[in-house]
Amino acid sequence: MAPSFEQLDPETEYDDGEEDIDYSEQYDVRMEEGLDTFIVIDGLPKVPPGSKDKLVKFLLRKLTSVGKTKEENVFMPMNEAGDMSEGFAFVEYETSAQAAAAVKALHATALDKKHTIAVNKLTDIERYGREGRIDETYKAPEMPPFEEKEHLRWWLGDHEGRDQFVMYKGDNVGVYWNEATTAPEAIVDRQHWTESFVQWSPKGTYLTSMHTQGVQLWGGQNWSRQKRFMHPGVNLVDFSPDERYLTTWSHRAMEIQEGNPVLSVEEDGKNYIIWDVATGKPLRSFVTLDLPGPSVDPEGNPIKKKIQWPAFKWSADAKYVARMTQGQHISVYELPRMNLMDKVSVKIEGVMDFEWCPANPQRDNVRDYEQLFCYWTPEMGSNPAKVGLMSIPSKEIVRTRNLFNVSDAKLHWQSDSSFVCVKVDRHSKSKKSMATNLEIFRVREKGVPVEVVDGLLGTVINFAWEPHGDRFVLITAGEMVAGAAVSPKTAVSFFCPEKAKGNAVGNFKLIRTVDKKNNNAIHWSPNGRFVIVATILNQQSFDLDFWDFDFEGEKEEKERDLTANLQLMGTADHYGVTDVEWDPSGRFVASSASVWKHRMENGYHLYTFSGHLLREEPLEGFKQWLWRPRPERLLSKDEMKNVRKNLREYSKQFEETDQAKKSSANKAVVESRRRMLEEWLAWRERTEEDLRVEREDYGLRGEISEERLALVVEEDEAGEGKEKVVEEIFEEILEESEEVLE
């Protein structure tokens, strides 16, 4: 510790001259660490001494919301006359982390209608505001020359309407144009572009690459780096639906040192960071919550618990993001400030899971802004299990439903938020058998009625709504026999509503069940109507069934009152298939076998929506295939209806383009063949001339027969100075007979 003035020796002479002192930055003395706990608040109202204590107490309400401090730790200076405060205050917190949190949470917040406070760390003011650091003379800022930025959605202007995809194989990541009849056209191919995997943003604007030090976003026609987010050891990444925010997660807590150019000490020890994509700055960081249950097994070995991803779930408009503390509450944060809504979490005792509605709910007779999330709680004591719908920001519970004998539940929203299906797994009273029923909440109807679909054979292992539609597919499986080597057979069931008057949606009815299958995956076309029911990650079965819900053929009599005409269009096999991906247009679908999941016959197949195989390409070290998403359509419903009505006229333009490309390809083949024919004719002419000269040398006359010319040994291989052999073949009929067969 530096000596005080009283501790100095009075007998010693001290030079008070300053001519030899170097004030450069390299000799700056770091402030004591204790000052990191202080903050400075500017923008306070100027009050007389009698109102000072009242203002301090009012200010403490905000200050204590982010850390621990008390009235004695708030110093509010008065002016020289002592009759009015100066309009700022110094506050001391218990730790530097609390001070940093106060700066982040309270800076630029409204104290009242007339005053907005500015909050800074005391060390920052000393560091940046020291004499000589700021020029007292105003200088107008220099405007940098205009630089045109790349158009991040340039690929949408492709005149052929093609889609792009990214493929990761070996150490190379490439982006390609998809071609229906020819090999894909490469756009960019880079080695070591990522260290683990790649991921598109929800609207396809950015391609995400993962690295040891963080995440990078790429885009534009030159595929340049657009953004960089520092997160050491990052494992997973998730975007908000509008691409404005980004969540990164690492299983290992971050270690952040003082002076980090991007991250502050506040992020030290955290696992999650939520970023603002536009600014590239972190909004808030969080630790990973421990899941309930034992952390070690009976033998003392640690139990690996599977985290829920994404842990932070976004509302449809990205105005809110929420995280669940299982069994206790749901914390809803408001964007962009990331403050906890109403400063308190939504307590839901026993909550097991929740899901935001994927689109604005548009409930009957509700005009106020709202977002909905659905949650469920298990049975606790004598209380039944419960499913609820909650409106945000009002926190009003819109609808609840009590359930009994519940083992598990899964929440499935329809893409337009018209329905939410709760898949309920129930056990018998003896708990020896399981069954599943569906509780379908009709969100947009008055009172949110619930329709129950039961009578399902076996347990539902997969469920999927039709995008922008009201039909669904589910897969059921029988109970697994203990010790059995083979999984039980599955059954695929197709459902749709009955026909109803007007725009109403009728009750859901079973169209058909296809049993004795091995299917375990459902993949709807992004535009609905077509669906693939597949068997993935299975070494014994690997089939893909292509179904059409609106087949234009004759409808069966028993299905005339239903809003579907189901037809199997085709089937396909892809050995070892691990993933199935529809392109955004719904015209093509790719199945792939990734080396991450097995190491045999890796590669991909490309099909049409009806199951016709267009291309099959085995690739060593194949890892990923991802179609580039497209943003939502700008066409209105009437405009889309007009396009469907005049589809034949529009399709002619694309057919002409396809024919021109095909003709271009054929023209190249014809040109190649013509070139080969010309080379052959030229060789033939030279050979005939050489033979003619040779015959004249031997005194032979007459034309050379075609048979003899065809049997000439190639002179190029014979070489100069060697004998040339000519072989003649004569045919003679020795005997000829006829036999009549009766």
Side-chain angles (χ1 to χ4, degrees):
M1 184 175 176
S4 65
F5 180 79
E6 290 78 7
Q7 294 173 319
L8 297 178
D9 187 353
E11 305 252 342
T12 306
E13 293 184 4
Y14 295 95
D15 184 5
D16 59 354
E18 299 184 357
E19 63 276 3
D20 297 328
I21 299 177
D22 188 350
Y23 287 99
S24 61
E25 290 189 15
Q26 61 178 319
Y27 296 104
D28 276 354
V29 178
R30 288 185 173 272
M31 301 188 66
E32 294 183 29
E33 291 185 1
L35 295 182
D36 285 341
T37 61
F38 284 86
I39 63 171
V40 182
I41 305 176
D42 289 298
L44 296 174
K46 296 181 179 181
V47 296
S51 302
K52 177 182 173 181
D53 291 342
K54 184 178 180 181
L55 177 59
V56 170
K57 290 179 181 179
F58 178 76
L59 189 60
L60 277 172
R61 295 179 189 175
K62 283 183 172 289
L63 297 174
T64 54
S65 67
V66 291
K68 293 184 178 180
T69 187
K70 48 192 176 180
E71 190 172 345
E72 304 89 77
N73 293 343
V74 180
F75 175 64
M76 192 176 294
M78 306 297 287
N79 61 13
E80 293 182 359
D83 59 352
M84 196 69 66
S85 65
E86 293 280 11
F88 63 89
F90 300 91
V91 181
E92 182 182 8
Y93 279 97
E94 289 187 354
T95 65
S96 60
Q98 292 178 10
V103 172
K104 195 164 190 177
L106 302 178
H107 181 66
T109 58
L111 189 67
D112 54 32
K113 292 182 179 180
K114 296 182 179 180
H115 299 86
T116 299
I117 59 176
V119 183
N120 294 279
K121 293 174 70 174
L122 179 60
T123 52
D124 288 344
I125 293 176
E126 178 65 22
R127 184 179 297 118
Y128 302 118
R130 191 179 301 173
E131 186 177 354
R133 294 286 179 90
I134 300 176
D135 193 346
E136 297 294 335
T137 306
Y138 171 76
K139 293 181 180 179
E142 294 182 6
M143 296 297 292
F146 172 75
E147 294 183 7
E148 186 175 357
K149 294 186 177 180
E150 292 184 278
H151 185 17
L152 296 180
R153 293 186 176 176
W154 61 276
W155 88 98
L156 298 175
D158 181 57
H159 66 280
E160 296 179 33
R162 296 175 296 177
D163 280 300
Q164 292 182 358
F165 63 87
V166 63
M167 186 161 55
Y168 184 15
K169 54 182 179 179
D171 294 328
N172 288 62
V173 175
V175 181
Y176 302 82
W177 286 112
N178 180 51
E179 299 286 356
T181 57
T182 59
E185 178 185 336
I187 304 170
V188 62
D189 194 305
R190 294 177 183 173
Q191 197 171 27
H192 304 298
W193 202 347
T194 185
E195 295 179 21
S196 54
F197 63 90
V198 291
Q199 180 177 325
W200 292 109
S201 59
K203 297 182 179 182
T205 306
Y206 305 107
L207 179 65
T208 310
S209 62
M210 309 294 292
H211 306 273
T212 305
Q213 293 301 317
V215 173
Q216 297 188 94
L217 305 186
W218 306 82
Q221 201 159 359
N222 296 320
W223 293 98
S224 58
R225 183 172 58 216
Q226 303 296 322
K227 298 290 179 182
R228 179 190 295 174
F229 304 95
M230 179 183 291
H231 188 151
V234 63
N235 299 111
L236 295 172
V237 61
D238 180 55
F239 284 87
S240 65
D242 59 2
E243 302 182 337
R244 291 170 57 200
Y245 307 105
L246 178 73
T247 304
T248 55
W249 173 79
S250 60
H251 73 278
R252 190 175 301 169
M254 292 179 287
E255 297 180 3
I256 307 300
Q257 302 296 327
E258 183 74 32
N260 189 292
V262 178
L263 303 176
S264 65
V265 180
E266 184 185 350
E267 275 73 51
D268 188 58
K270 305 295 180 61
N271 303 87
Y272 294 92
I273 302 179
I274 296 182
W275 303 83
D276 186 319
V277 173
T279 63
K281 294 182 178 180
L283 297 176
R284 192 162 178 175
S285 56
F286 300 85
V287 298
T288 299
L289 298 177
D290 292 330
L291 295 176
S295 56
V296 294
D297 60 20
E299 298 178 358
N301 299 318
I303 298 175
K304 292 184 177 180
K305 297 180 180 180
K306 187 176 181 180
I307 69 160
Q308 185 182 47
W309 184 259
F312 288 86
K313 300 180 180 181
W314 302 93
S315 65
D317 56 3
K319 288 186 176 180
Y320 302 98
V321 64
R323 177 168 73 158
M324 175 187 68
T325 301
Q326 196 173 91
Q328 300 179 33
H329 57 253
I330 297 174
S331 302
V332 181
Y333 299 90
E334 298 176 290
L335 277 301
R337 292 189 55 240
M338 280 300 296
N339 58 296
L340 185 64
M341 188 178 70
D342 297 336
K343 301 180 182 180
V344 63
S345 298
V346 182
K347 292 185 178 181
I348 305 175
E349 187 179 1
V351 61
M352 294 298 293
D353 195 13
F354 80 103
E355 293 290 344
W356 287 100
C357 60
N360 291 331
Q362 300 177 10
R363 286 194 297 133
D364 183 61
N365 290 328
V366 176
R367 296 183 179 180
D368 295 334
Y369 168 82
E370 71 168 355
Q371 294 293 321
L372 295 178
F373 66 72
C374 182
Y375 65 90
W376 80 277
T377 61
E379 297 175 78
M380 292 178 290
S382 60
N383 295 324
K386 185 180 293 184
V387 176
L389 284 175
M390 181 174 287
S391 175
I392 297 296
S394 66
K395 298 183 182 179
E396 173 193 359
I397 296 179
V398 173
R399 184 73 158 86
T400 59
R401 174 88 169 171
N402 292 336
L403 306 171
F404 299 91
N405 301 328
V406 176
S407 296
D408 193 16
K410 291 289 185 293
L411 312 173
H412 300 274
W413 279 95
Q414 185 259 0
S415 61
D416 295 330
S417 300
S418 299
F419 310 95
V420 58
C421 174
V422 183
K423 180 181 75 69
V424 183
D425 294 331
R426 300 178 185 269
H427 55 259
S428 61
K429 291 184 178 180
S430 63
K431 297 187 177 180
K432 292 183 178 180
S433 60
M434 298 285 293
T436 302
N437 73 287
L438 308 178
E439 308 273 340
I440 300 177
F441 290 69
R442 295 172 173 260
V443 178
R444 293 186 177 178
E445 296 182 19
K446 186 176 182 180
V448 192
V450 179
E451 181 179 347
V452 180
V453 177
D454 51 16
L456 303 174
L457 300 177
T459 304
V460 175
I461 62 172
N462 207 332
F463 174 97
W465 283 103
E466 176 188 21
H468 310 292
D470 47 23
R471 301 172 290 196
F472 59 85
V473 181
L474 57 85
I475 300 175
T476 57
E479 293 188 22
M480 184 73 178
V481 180
V486 182
S487 300
K489 291 290 184 179
T490 61
V492 183
S493 299
F494 304 87
F495 286 80
C496 74
E498 293 179 306
K499 291 181 179 178
K501 294 181 180 179
N503 295 324
V505 178
N507 293 330
F508 293 98
K509 296 294 181 182
L510 175 66
I511 307 172
R512 195 180 309 167
T513 296
V514 182
D515 53 11
K516 297 181 180 180
K517 302 287 289 183
N518 293 305
N519 301 135
N520 56 14
I522 304 167
H523 297 275
W524 278 97
S525 164
N527 297 321
R529 177 175 176 177
F530 305 107
V531 63
I532 296 174
V533 183
T535 306
I536 63 173
L537 297 170
N538 190 316
Q539 295 300 318
Q540 285 76 39
S541 181
F542 27 82
D543 52 317
L544 295 89
D545 298 334
F546 295 77
W547 293 89
D548 181 5
F549 264 75
D550 293 322
F551 182 63
E552 296 178 359
E554 189 66 25
K555 206 173 190 180
E556 294 185 20
E557 185 64 32
K558 62 180 180 179
E559 298 177 359
R560 292 194 180 277
D561 292 333
L562 302 179
T563 58
N565 187 16
L566 189 66
Q567 177 68 32
L568 178 64
M569 298 182 292
T571 60
D573 287 334
H574 183 174
Y575 176 76
V577 59
T578 59
D579 301 280
V580 177
E581 289 272 345
W582 281 91
D583 84 320
S585 70
R587 293 178 294 168
F588 305 101
V589 62
S591 62
S592 58
S594 172
V595 71
W596 286 333
K597 298 172 184 176
H598 70 81
R599 296 184 176 275
M600 295 178 62
E601 298 188 27
N602 304 119
Y604 73 91
H605 291 183
L606 185 68
Y607 301 92
T608 63
F609 67 91
S610 59
H612 174 65
L613 180 63
L614 296 174
R615 188 163 62 249
E616 178 180 347
E617 189 173 0
L619 295 168
E620 186 177 352
F622 175 87
K623 297 175 182 176
Q624 253 186 309
W625 170 299
L626 295 173
W627 292 102
R628 188 172 194 174
R630 287 176 174 262
E632 58 276 3
R633 296 188 181 97
L634 299 178
L635 297 177
S636 65
K637 290 184 178 180
D638 292 336
E639 288 172 325
M640 287 191 285
K641 188 176 181 180
N642 184 57
V643 170
R644 293 191 188 98
K645 184 178 179 181
N646 301 297
L647 189 59
R648 292 183 183 275
E649 296 180 13
Y650 292 113
S651 63
K652 287 180 181 178
Q653 301 175 16
F654 292 100
E655 288 172 0
E656 290 173 1
T657 303
D658 291 342
Q659 188 61 39
K661 291 179 67 175
K662 190 174 181 180
S663 299
S664 177
N666 292 340
K667 185 177 180 181
V669 173
V670 170
E671 288 293 334
S672 176
R673 290 176 178 174
R674 180 179 290 112
R675 199 164 47 250
M676 294 171 65
L677 178 60
E678 290 174 352
E679 291 175 359
W680 158 253
L681 292 175
W683 177 86
R684 179 188 175 103
E685 188 177 347
R686 290 196 308 271
T687 304
E688 285 182 350
E689 184 62 30
D690 291 343
L691 285 175
R692 223 175 262 110
V693 172
E694 184 180 351
R695 287 173 63 83
E696 290 177 357
D697 291 344
Y698 285 102
L700 300 175
R701 297 289 184 271
E703 295 294 329
I704 305 170
S705 66
E706 292 289 334
E707 293 81 0
R708 187 171 183 182
L709 180 62
L711 295 172
V712 175
V713 179
E714 293 186 6
E715 298 178 8
D716 294 341
E717 295 181 0
E720 294 183 4
K722 293 186 179 181
E723 294 183 356
K724 300 175 183 177
V725 180
V726 178
E727 182 179 353
E728 293 187 12
I729 298 176
F730 297 91
E731 293 184 2
E732 182 180 354
I733 299 175
L734 301 176
E735 184 179 355
E736 186 176 348
S737 62
E738 293 183 3
E739 183 178 353
V740 179
L741 299 176
E742 296 182 356

